[in-house]
Amino acid sequence: MKNVCILSNHFFPIRSSCSTLIHDLIKNLLKKKIKVTLISLSGFSKKIKTFQFKNFTYICVKSNYIRSSNNYLKAIDEIYCILKLRSYFKSHFEENFDDVIVYSPTIFWSLFLPIFKKKKISIILRDLTPKWLLDHKIISRLSFSFLILKFFEIYLYKQSTNVFVQTPKDLNYIKNYSKKYNFNTSVIYNWINLDNSFDKKYKRINN
């Protein structure tokens, strides 16, 4: 049986468009007889919890700043939670995944990815960080914050097999990195029906 791992900031009990999209993706994969492990920052408490069903495993921890407007606190807490999940996963699981899918508002999932063994990693980018922070003049190109975020952005791309973006304009930006770090790129819009969007796009780009 094929085995897929999904990394996502949002999932239920947090209600968001991201939670719904991830739910749709998991439902679609399970319907195709694919085993799914979801790891998220939307848990019920700061203590890591694992919920196991027939072909679905949910590993989660609660990030207190997941919807915070304070970008510094949000970033620090995301890094802390992701490193905590990474340590937990390494000590409790020995799974080998055929594919890893990162639905990424955050670039800090790059810290989690090195623990996976042989794998194909697909990143679905919804925010181009730190580009959007520069565009909105929240940080400057010469700031320490920009340099740190740029490091994590590059680290994410270097580990990727596929990077999917939201618009053709984003694709122009990401192509500059795809040549250098040797990953495939394509546009994928927020899906409603998986059979007509991510699933077909993913198959096409990997063939």
Side-chain angles (χ1 to χ4, degrees):
M1 178 180 285
K2 192 170 182 180
N3 198 4
V4 170
C5 182
I6 301 171
L7 308 177
S8 174
N9 286 35
H10 285 200
F11 193 62
F12 301 118
I14 288 182
R15 293 188 176 275
S16 68
S17 59
C18 176
S19 297
T20 302
L21 292 171
I22 295 301
H23 175 266
D24 289 346
L25 176 58
I26 292 168
K27 185 178 177 181
N28 187 268
L29 293 172
L30 292 174
K31 189 166 59 175
K32 296 176 183 296
K33 309 298 183 185
I34 297 172
K35 186 178 179 183
V36 179
T37 297
L38 172 66
I39 302 172
S40 93
L41 307 182
S42 299
F44 302 90
S45 72
K46 294 298 286 184
K47 184 178 180 181
I48 295 174
K49 302 284 187 181
T50 299
F51 303 91
Q52 291 187 304
F53 305 94
K54 186 177 179 181
N55 289 319
F56 176 54
T57 302
Y58 180 32
I59 306 166
C60 57
V61 68
K62 183 179 181 180
S63 170
N64 290 330
Y65 297 95
I66 198 165
R67 284 181 161 172
S68 174
S69 58
N70 188 318
N71 291 313
Y72 292 101
L73 289 177
K74 186 176 181 179
I76 291 169
D77 196 55
E78 283 179 355
I79 291 171
Y80 168 74
C81 289
I82 288 169
L83 289 175
K84 189 175 177 180
L85 283 165
R86 171 179 160 158
S87 176
Y88 176 86
F89 188 87
K90 283 181 72 175
S91 61
H92 290 79
F93 294 87
E94 294 184 0
E95 296 252 17
N96 288 325
F97 296 101
D98 299 292
D99 295 274
V100 177
I101 299 170
V102 183
Y103 190 94
S104 181
T106 179
I107 51 179
F108 302 126
W109 283 115
S110 56
L111 291 168
F112 198 101
L113 295 177
I115 70 171
F116 294 120
K117 296 177 183 176
K118 185 179 179 182
K119 72 278 185 183
K120 186 186 295 177
I121 294 176
S122 296
I123 313 294
I124 305 173
L125 289 176
R126 287 300 169 233
D127 295 319
L128 296 178
T129 305
K131 183 180 180 299
W132 77 270
L133 292 166
L134 283 176
D135 292 345
H136 289 81
K137 299 183 179 179
I138 296 172
I139 61 174
S140 73
R141 193 174 294 275
L142 299 177
S143 67
F144 182 68
S145 298
F146 173 79
L147 294 176
I148 293 294
L149 293 172
K150 197 67 182 177
F151 166 81
F152 283 109
E153 180 191 23
I154 299 300
Y155 192 35
L156 185 66
Y157 297 156
K158 286 177 73 173
Q159 300 177 81
S160 303
T161 310
N162 306 306
V163 176
F164 298 99
V165 292
Q166 197 164 232
T167 67
K169 184 179 179 181
D170 292 343
L171 189 62
N172 292 332
Y173 171 82
I174 212 72
K175 278 183 176 178
N176 296 324
Y177 297 96
S178 66
K179 295 174 184 176
K180 187 173 182 180
Y181 299 113
N182 194 31
F183 57 80
N184 302 311
T185 61
S186 187
V187 175
I188 176 171
Y189 303 97
N190 284 345
W191 57 78
I192 299 298
N193 183 336
L194 271 293
D195 291 322
N196 294 325
S197 53
F198 177 78
D199 197 44
K200 286 185 178 178
K201 186 81 71 170
Y202 180 79
K203 286 178 181 177
R204 181 180 63 76
I205 203 171
N206 282 289
N207 289 332

